[in-house]
Amino acid sequence: MSDRSVLTGDRVPVPAGAPQTAPEPVRHRGVRLGAGGVRAPRIAVLDGLRLLAALSVVLFHYLAGYGTIPWQRTAAELFPALHRIADFGWLGVVFFFMISGFVICMSGWGKSLQQFWQGRILRLFPLYWAAVVLSSAAARLGPRTPGEPKVTVGQMLTNLTMLHEPLGVESVDLVYWTLWAELRFYLVFSLVVLLGTSYRRVAAFCWVWALGSVLAPKSGIPLLDQLLVPQWAPFFIAGIAFYLVRRAGRIEGETLGILALSWLLVQHRLPAIMADEGHGINWKVCLAAITAMYLLMGLIALGKLDRIQWRWLPVAGAISYPLYLVHQSLGVRVIWRWNEQWGAWPTLLGVTAGVVLLAWLLHRLVERPLTRLLRSLMAPQVAEQPRKLAA
C-alpha cells in the first residue's frame, strides 16, 4: 500500500530495498513501531477525522461565505443556526496541517529521499490533476458566479504543476493554496529524510524550524519566508511532535517542550491568520478549538483511540482528499444556479451528498488506476536502486 498524505490513510509502508532491521525499535501497545519489515497498525480514527475536517471546510465554503454567494439570499438568513457553526469550519484546514505533520513524519520514517518523494507524488497528483481538469471545465462550461474570472487554458496547464502560486498564476480553485503549503512542508522535511530519520534528528528539526519560522518574516529574505511557511509551521511541527510521542509510547520532556512552543506560536499568530483569511469570529473560541485538537492528537499519539476500527473509516479517509479538492468549484456553482428552484435545505443536503459521491467516484475510477500507472512507471527506478547498491 502506498503511503498516505494529509487527507487519507496512514499505514507505514515497507520501502522497496529497505533493510529488514531498524535502529531503536519501539513497542507501542504490543505493536512494534518503526522496525523494518513490520507494519504499524492502521490508525483508523485519523481517517474519520480527515473526513470530519473536510466536511467542516465544505460547510464553511457553502454557508459561511461573506455576501450572498453561493446563495441568492445570505446563508445567515437561510441557515441562522448552522451558519454560525459553519463560521468555524475553516479550522478544518489547520487540523489537516496538524494531521499532515503526524502522517508525513510517520510515512517518511526510514525512507530514502527518492522513496519519500515518489510516495508524495503518487498520493497528491493523480487526484489533483483530475480536480484541476474538472474545475477548469466547470469554470468554462458551467454556471458562473458573479465577478468570477474566466479560467484560461494556460492557467489550467500551469495549475497542473501545483507550482502555479509561486509562478504568479491564479488557482483554478481557491482551495489549492493549502497544497502549496503542504509542498513547502515536504520540501523542508526532506532535509530530515535525506540525513536519515531518528528521534534526535526529527526533534532537532522541530526546534530549528520553529525558530526559523519566527526569524524568517524579519529576515528580509522572501525565499526564506516562503520556504519556512511561518504562518502554518506550528501546526505541522505539532503533528511531527505527536508522532514522536507515538513512537516513544509516552510524552517525554522534549516533545512536551516542542508541543508547548508550537501552541504558544499558534496563539500568537492566530489573530493574524484570522485577519488574513477574513474570519471575523471569536479568537478565544478558535484557540479553544485548536487546543481541543491538540488534546485529541495527544490521545491518538498515546494509542488511547486505537480500538476505534470501524469498517467505514478507511473509506472516509480515502474520499477526504478528493472531497476537499472538488467541493468548492463544483458545489458552489450548483448552489448558485439552482438553490432558488430547489429550496435551501434540499440544495444544501443534495449538493453535499453529490460532492461526497463524486469524491468516492474519483477515488475509485481515477485515483486507483492513475496511481497504479504512475507506480508502474516509477517501478523500474525503484528496482534499479538496489542493483546499483549491490554493484
Side-chain angles (χ1 to χ4, degrees):
M1 175 179 290
S2 65
D3 58 316
R4 297 291 186 178
S5 160
V6 57
L7 299 177
T8 57
D10 47 68
R11 288 179 185 264
V12 179
V14 180
Q20 295 303 303
T21 59
E24 304 173 5
V26 180
R27 291 186 179 274
H28 181 78
R29 287 181 168 270
V31 179
R32 200 174 180 85
L33 294 179
V38 179
R39 287 176 182 251
R42 186 179 187 88
I43 309 176
V45 70
L46 283 178
D47 289 322
L49 291 175
R50 286 187 184 92
L51 181 59
L52 181 63
L55 288 172
S56 74
V57 176
V58 170
L59 289 180
F60 174 76
H61 287 144
Y62 289 176
L63 297 180
Y66 300 96
T68 58
I69 296 174
W71 308 87
Q72 268 70 29
R73 291 183 287 168
T74 64
E77 178 187 354
L78 296 170
F79 308 95
L82 191 57
H83 167 74
R84 289 194 291 271
I85 297 172
D87 273 343
F88 297 93
W90 69 276
L91 290 168
V93 171
V94 304
F95 202 18
F96 284 151
F97 289 155
M98 197 180 298
I99 294 173
S100 181
F102 185 102
V103 172
I104 296 307
C105 185
M106 178 172 63
S107 62
W109 203 279
K111 282 191 173 183
S112 70
L113 187 61
Q114 179 184 6
Q115 291 165 340
F116 174 73
W117 274 102
Q118 285 175 340
R120 296 301 89 225
I121 291 169
L122 286 172
R123 183 61 212 124
L124 289 186
F125 278 93
L127 279 170
Y128 175 73
W129 289 332
V132 170
V133 173
L134 277 175
S135 298
S136 299
R140 293 178 66 87
L141 305 175
R144 296 178 64 187
T145 57
E148 179 187 357
K150 186 175 181 179
V151 172
T152 67
V153 174
Q155 180 184 359
M156 181 194 74
L157 294 175
T158 306
N159 268 244
L160 291 174
T161 67
M162 210 181 284
L163 300 173
H164 54 279
E165 186 171 326
L167 290 172
V169 176
E170 291 290 332
S171 295
V172 168
D173 190 322
L174 294 177
V175 300
Y176 298 164
W177 72 267
T178 61
L179 300 179
W180 173 232
E182 285 278 335
L183 279 180
R184 287 179 285 170
F185 165 44
Y186 301 162
L187 189 60
V188 295
F189 192 74
S190 293
L191 178 62
V192 182
V193 177
L194 182 63
L195 295 175
T197 47
S198 68
Y199 179 93
R200 171 54 35 222
R201 286 173 181 157
V202 172
F205 167 79
C206 290
W207 290 116
V208 172
W209 190 12
L211 179 60
S213 71
V214 172
L215 299 177
K218 301 296 184 181
S219 67
I221 305 174
L223 178 60
L224 190 62
D225 197 32
Q226 276 287 315
L227 187 62
L228 296 183
V229 207
Q231 195 171 37
W232 307 108
F235 300 103
F236 292 117
I237 291 169
I240 294 171
F242 280 121
Y243 180 64
L244 293 179
V245 172
R246 177 81 181 186
R247 285 190 64 85
R250 62 185 182 276
I251 299 179
E252 298 179 338
E254 185 169 22
T255 49
L256 182 60
I258 294 170
L259 289 168
L261 176 59
S262 71
W263 186 90
L264 290 171
L265 291 177
V266 165
Q267 66 82 31
H268 172 73
R269 289 182 173 143
L270 188 56
I273 292 173
M274 294 168 63
D276 288 347
E277 301 298 320
H279 307 308
I281 49 181
N282 192 294
W283 171 83
K284 292 181 180 179
V285 175
C286 290
L287 184 60
I290 292 172
T291 303
M293 295 175 194
Y294 271 71
L295 295 175
L296 183 57
M297 289 298 296
L299 292 176
I300 293 171
L302 292 171
K304 302 299 184 181
L305 303 181
D306 284 358
R307 294 180 180 178
I308 299 177
Q309 295 289 332
W310 303 324
R311 291 185 178 182
W312 59 269
L313 289 174
V315 178
I319 67 173
S320 298
Y321 182 43
L323 175 62
Y324 179 80
L325 289 176
V326 302
H327 77 272
Q328 182 167 333
S329 61
L330 302 183
V332 165
R333 297 176 193 285
V334 175
I335 292 173
W336 175 256
R337 174 62 180 83
W338 285 289
N339 73 89
E340 287 291 292
Q341 293 93 318
W342 296 349
W345 277 103
T347 299
L348 177 64
L349 295 176
V351 170
T352 302
V355 292
V356 169
L357 176 60
L358 177 60
W360 181 79
L361 291 173
L362 286 171
H363 165 65
R364 293 296 300 268
L365 303 179
V366 175
E367 182 184 23
R368 286 185 174 182
L370 273 182
T371 300
R372 284 195 296 267
L373 176 61
L374 283 177
R375 186 180 290 113
S376 67
L377 294 174
M378 293 177 177
Q381 300 175 14
V382 175
E384 186 68 19
Q385 191 176 13
R387 287 198 290 269
K388 288 181 179 179
L389 293 174

